[in-house]
Amino acid sequence: MKKALIIGAAGFVGSYLAKELWQNYGMEVHVSKLPKEHLEIAYAHVHNLDILQKEEVSGLLYEILPDYIFHLAAQSSVSIAWKNPGLTVDVNVKGCIHVLDAVRELFYKPRILLVGSGEEYGRIYAEEVPVTESNHLRPGNIYAATKVCQNMIGTIYAQAYDMDLLMVRSFNHIGPGQAPIFVVSDFCRQVAQIEAGMKEPVMYVGNLKARRDFTDVRDVVRAYALLVLYGKPGETYNVGSGHAYAIREVLDLILSLSGANIRIETDPNKIRPVDVAVIEADITKLHQETGWRQSIPLVQTLQETLDDWRARVE
Ligand code: A2R
């Protein structure tokens, strides 16, 4: 039985990935969380780990001896990265180096997937859409810059130390359970609160013109699993739907799922200092090498995310 370790599993993606690996691949699944976090997954072994402590990373790897390592741990909020760039650099760059060095020092070569972001492309010119993996990287925020750095360091480690390491640039992933600092979850929470009479019937929104590539988190973790099985070492893969929607279109879809009469207002706090107009993935490489295709349509994800918030606000 293959063993998988998911580092940083108490966030949005971790438990979905654990389920995918256990249910569809029969792997023995180990997950790590920060000591302060709470995480219970019936079919996974849960471990405490702070990736800023290199010895802790090495200790856990020797304890588990995983075949596959999924590195999800990150300070993944763009807005928190503006407020706390130092922490974001520490966790996303230094923490990643700790993981890579700990793996490099093992007596065998597990396969590692480093999870990056579509934000790494930053400003994408019209003629570059949809964006391929070889596109220029022009990160427009601190979070994106740290993920570019992670990708570059990963590429160097793969070459210099012949490590079995792959990287992904994941575009916006959405679904039930996501924190409301992300746009779809935020909108669904506001609608659920309005429906429950907990909030005036006004939605506060940021930049509605930005176009983003949204994929259901369950499709995203399916891509991660396929990539550790079929991807090529040293390579970077876009993971996205291949289609960008304006935030306005997403908002309208969510509103169409609710009977409530809702007014829209702009909240200046939700407008980011630098925003990128269009982010859309070219997913040819992922599809050609793994056969992956999006399977869950956007409207289904929005419906399930809204229903999840309806249950949570109750
Ligand atoms: O920041 P927190 O308290 O929410 O904890 C996050 C955790 N994390 C750490 N884990 C170990 N050592 C650290 N020093 C450390 N700092 C933060 O990593 C959180 O529980 C987890 C990452 O989960 P999320 O932020 O929810 O990311 P998500 O959506 O699961 O995405 C997974 C990956 C991330 O690398 C994103 O940047 C990328 O996909 O898009």
Side-chain angles (χ1 to χ4, degrees):
M1 184 189 274
K2 295 285 187 193
K3 285 192 240 177
L5 169 62
I6 304 170
I7 299 178
F12 175 48
V13 175
S15 44
Y16 284 105
L17 179 57
K19 186 174 183 189
E20 172 75 12
L21 299 174
W22 176 75
Q23 198 164 277
N24 294 336
Y25 295 93
M27 291 187 194
E28 179 181 312
V29 182
H30 295 259
V31 298
S32 87
K33 64 170 189 72
L34 282 168
K36 65 170 184 181
E37 291 178 308
H38 178 76
L39 179 64
E40 269 178 46
I41 304 178
Y43 39 80
H45 306 265
V46 181
H47 307 264
N48 282 328
L49 174 66
D50 181 346
I51 57 167
L52 294 178
Q53 308 302 323
K54 159 85 191 325
E55 295 69 31
E56 281 187 23
V57 184
S58 297
L60 187 61
L61 291 184
Y62 271 98
E63 188 185 327
I64 299 169
L65 299 179
D67 300 284
Y68 305 117
I69 299 167
F70 297 84
H71 179 49
L72 303 184
Q75 192 307 94
S76 70
S77 155
V78 173
S79 55
I80 292 173
W82 284 117
K83 290 172 199 143
N84 201 341
L87 171 78
T88 308
V89 170
D90 276 353
V91 175
N92 296 2
V93 180
K94 207 170 164 188
C96 175
I97 289 175
H98 288 163
V99 171
L100 293 178
D101 279 340
V103 172
R104 186 161 69 87
E105 288 157 14
L106 286 169
F107 58 90
Y108 72 104
K109 285 187 186 182
R111 177 159 260 220
I112 316 156
L113 184 77
L114 296 183
V115 179
S117 169
E119 294 263 0
E120 290 173 46
Y121 295 108
R123 195 154 299 284
I124 299 167
Y125 298 125
E127 64 274 17
E128 296 173 334
V129 176
V131 65
T132 62
E133 289 84 353
S134 58
N135 208 77
H136 279 292
L137 303 174
R138 310 176 191 101
N141 62 63
I142 308 296
Y143 165 74
T146 63
K147 288 291 179 172
V148 169
C149 201
Q150 171 182 273
N151 183 280
M152 288 176 165
I153 290 168
T155 307
I156 291 165
Y157 268 58
Q159 287 168 359
Y161 304 121
D162 193 27
M163 289 175 73
D164 191 5
L165 192 164
L166 296 79
M167 288 144 290
V168 289
R169 294 198 183 108
S170 303
F171 290 66
N172 299 59
H173 26 302
I174 54 174
Q178 190 172 31
I181 51 171
F182 297 97
V183 63
V184 166
S185 188
D186 174 38
F187 287 172
C188 289
R189 180 174 72 151
Q190 290 193 56
V191 169
Q193 286 174 336
I194 291 167
E195 287 176 348
M198 293 164 62
K199 177 178 164 352
E200 50 172 351
V202 182
M203 293 268 296
Y204 294 96
V205 300
N207 179 7
L208 291 181
K209 288 192 190 134
R211 299 179 68 84
R212 295 290 180 268
D213 183 323
F214 294 99
T215 310
D216 190 292
V217 62
R218 292 158 287 195
D219 274 336
V220 171
V221 297
R222 209 161 44 74
Y224 294 173
L226 288 168
L227 279 167
V228 297
L229 294 177
Y230 306 113
K232 295 195 185 116
E235 293 292 320
T236 297
Y237 297 85
N238 284 341
V239 175
S241 71
H243 181 82
Y245 287 87
I247 305 296
R248 172 88 235 184
E249 292 174 85
V250 174
L251 175 61
D252 286 343
L253 276 171
I254 294 169
L255 292 176
S256 75
L257 301 172
S258 171
N261 191 7
I262 298 172
R263 206 170 75 240
I264 309 297
E265 273 187 25
T266 303
D267 176 355
N269 293 322
K270 291 183 195 276
I271 306 276
R272 291 180 187 162
V274 178
D275 221 335
V276 181
V278 184
I279 303 182
E280 183 179 78
D282 184 316
I283 51 169
T284 310
K285 187 171 170 184
L286 171 67
H287 175 66
Q288 282 180 347
E289 295 188 22
T290 70
W292 182 91
R293 273 182 203 283
Q294 180 187 20
S295 71
I296 304 175
L298 177 63
V299 70
Q300 181 185 334
T301 310
L302 298 179
Q303 178 75 65
E304 291 180 20
T305 306
L306 179 58
D307 288 343
D308 178 55
W309 270 115
R310 283 171 173 149
R312 280 156 85 177
V313 300
E314 266 173 25

